[in-house]
Amino acid sequence: MTTHRVHVYGDHVNTDVIFPGKYTYTLKTPEDIAAHALEDLDPTFASRVQPGDVIVAGRNWGMGSSREQAVTCLKYAGVNILIAESFSGLYFRNCINQGVLPIVCAGLNTLLQTRDSIEVDVGQNLIVAAGQAFRFTPLSPSVQAIIDAGGLVPMLQMRFLGYVDGYVPAGGKE
Amino acid sequence: MTTSYTFVEKALARAAGVESARAGDILDVRPDLIFSHDNTAAIRRIFERIGAGRMSRPERVAITLDHAVPAPTTQHAQNHAEIREWVRLQGIANFFEVGRGICHQVISEEALILPGETIFGSDSHTPHFGWLGAFGMGVGRTEMAALWATGALWIRVPESMQIVLNGRLRPGVTAKDIALKIIGDRTVGGGQYRSIEFSGDALSHLSLDERAVLPNMMAEFGAMNAYMLPDQAVFNYLEARRTRDYTPLYPDADAVYADRYELCVTNLEAQVALPHQPDNVVNLSQALGQPLQQAFIGTCTNGRLEDIEAAAQVLRGHHVRCRLVVIPASSQVLLAATKSGAIATLIEAGATISTPGCGPCMGNHMGVPAPNEATISSANRNFKGRMGTADAPIYLASPYVVAASAIKGAIADPAEFLS
């Protein structure tokens, strides 16, 4: 069981407000990418977020573009778990491939407020929020294996190189 | 248990080399074509970390430069230079330079993907290829790097949703209006995780240019892919262009669908999506008179020849009152619209024409608005900040409506210009 501070958002949050398209071909370092996280949704997020924080959202989080920085901007800011009532299909896949855990769980974003804390037990598929227990469905084993490897790139490095090479993910430094 | 299958169950089973598949199954799918665009340099950096060396099937890779072309800054130019170097190193024949056009349009024109085949692109509008009966899905950059390395990717087979379109559109009302109506009625989450199958007699009345609008904009519906039954018009289009044989796939008549939406399009009015979401849709009559500073016609959704000609039809003999930026979706569209005289008509009406590509759609360049300037656009997304600044409202509509609005400097009905 780990404790996490939450940042709470609503339904249908799109990738343009998570990470604006105008930055997608020019910003490359993790620091620069993280600095623009949620810029057009919550301009104070990038300065408030701390490692271990969790995003809690409603339906269809991450709809829109395929841009992976919509996941990595949060990952580089220290967010390794996102909880939403549902995710856009592309965003969900991008999370898995970045080793960021997307948890599908309804009811939390209306119960919680930003700066509240929750407890998460990934092994037990359990979230405790505002004194209530929430169960979530685990990922299928083949998909969980990607998360467990740290993402798709470390998994492929094991296949092609035989070891994991200090990886800086998508859009990151050379 | 039923022995009937949806399109996506058949297409992904074929691409995975298994006898059959059902919604919910997780398959290792080997696509017939994979493509990327200006994000290729970033994908290259990921690929080089994987240690795979060479692409597994470079002949099944396509790369277009389209998202910021010609390069607006030195950084963008450097990005393009890294991509060209990569194309040479990997020996990629299907490379399309600055000015050739937008990935979805170019790959369609080149017939690099065919009915019944599977295509993955590192672009969210890849459902586009449903217009010719292919399975098209957008993927992230890391997934594209994995596809370059291994040629395969895991997919959870989606549930299917049937969208039945009957009737015949009135003049001046288009597939764009159908797409906005569907998204407005069922919200941007209405097709989440779903494979959309379009059917109904309205489709046979739509030109190929128009058909592409519907699967393209299902990205804004949350769909994984969208499919239309390919017919003789599609086969004729592909015949002179294709370099390999194909076998189309059709869903079984009694296939099982998770959801269904039906629309008679005969009396449909033109639609407008208001800021800041593509499902914030009203009838055109409810949006009339909204002042505008800019109009934009182009993109993978509505930058084809018919779209340019629709605008020319409205603008002939008139002059714009707000800026009108027109960006054809490809060099072939630009050439055809030049030969038909549509481009001359647009220039005479006060429009400016730019290099085929994505233009200002996602805020890179070539017509981004100033804060508090309102744009009406034939594009697909009007999210806050989409065109580069959070304070610039974006309205989405058909090329007819965008052209009429450019004449008035405010959202306007094209009917009075179409008599």
Side-chain angles (χ1 to χ4, degrees), chain A residues 12 14 16 22 24-25 64 68-69 86-87 90 93-94 97-98 140 146 153 156-157 159 165-166 174, chain B residues 26 37 45-46 49-50 67 124 138-143 146 150 153-154 188 192-193 381 383 386 388:
Chain A
H12 304 308
N14 70 76
D16 278 297
K22 61 188 170 190
T24 52
Y25 306 121
E68 218 160 23
Q69 299 99 320
S86 65
F87 293 85
L90 254 169
R93 296 179 62 89
N94 282 339
N97 293 325
Q98 287 297 329
S140 68
I146 302 173
V153 166
L156 289 169
Q157 285 179 331
R159 172 168 161 186
D165 172 28
E174 299 246 13
Chain B
I26 292 179
H37 44 64
R45 289 191 284 275
I46 301 167
R49 302 300 302 237
I50 291 172
H67 272 54
S124 56
V139 300
R141 293 174 178 187
T142 301
E143 290 181 313
T150 68
L153 192 65
W154 66 275
V188 288
Q192 215 182 326
Y193 286 123
R381 291 191 177 138
F383 300 135
R386 172 74 180 176

Side-chain angles (χ1 to χ4, degrees), chain B residues 3-15:
Chain B
T3 53
S4 300
Y5 294 91
T6 61
F7 164 75
V8 74
E9 289 170 337
K10 291 186 180 187
L12 291 181
R14 176 187 278 183

Side-chain angles (χ1 to χ4, degrees), chain A residues 140-171:
Chain A
S140 68
S142 61
V143 175
Q144 182 64 45
I146 302 173
I147 296 265
D148 292 344
L152 189 57
V153 166
M155 178 175 254
L156 289 169
Q157 285 179 331
M158 281 306 294
R159 172 168 161 186
F160 285 102
L161 297 171
Y163 58 91
V164 175
D165 172 28
Y167 168 64
V168 181

Side-chain angles (χ1 to χ4, degrees), chain B residues 25-47:
Chain B
D25 289 355
I26 292 179
L27 302 177
D28 269 327
V29 170
R30 299 183 71 80
D32 299 282
L33 189 82
I34 54 179
F35 72 94
S36 55
H37 44 64
D38 294 42
N39 53 23
T40 302
I43 298 165
R44 170 189 177 174
R45 289 191 284 275
I46 301 167
F47 181 86

Side-chain angles (χ1 to χ4, degrees), chain A residues 35-109:
Chain A
H36 294 279
L38 307 188
E39 183 168 286
D40 287 335
L41 175 71
D42 180 357
T44 66
F45 173 83
S47 57
R48 282 190 292 111
V49 65
Q50 291 170 14
D53 285 1
V54 164
I55 301 287
V56 172
R59 286 178 294 145
N60 202 19
W61 171 269
M63 70 164 175
S65 164
S66 63
R67 71 186 64 136
E68 218 160 23
Q69 299 99 320
V71 174
T72 57
C73 70
L74 298 171
K75 175 176 171 166
Y76 298 153
V79 175
N80 290 310
I81 299 174
L82 290 91
I83 304 170
E85 188 170 336
S86 65
F87 293 85
S88 98
L90 254 169
Y91 195 94
F92 187 85
R93 296 179 62 89
N94 282 339
C95 284
I96 300 290
N97 293 325
Q98 287 297 329
V100 171
L101 180 65
I103 296 177
V104 177
C105 185
L108 286 171
N109 78 315

Side-chain angles (χ1 to χ4, degrees), chain B residues 252-276:
Chain B
D252 292 322
D254 49 355
V256 176
Y257 294 91
D259 198 359
R260 179 184 161 94
Y261 172 92
E262 193 166 349
L263 179 69
C264 176
V265 304
T266 303
N267 295 314
L268 184 67
E269 267 191 56
Q271 306 286 301
V272 177
L274 310 177
H276 294 286

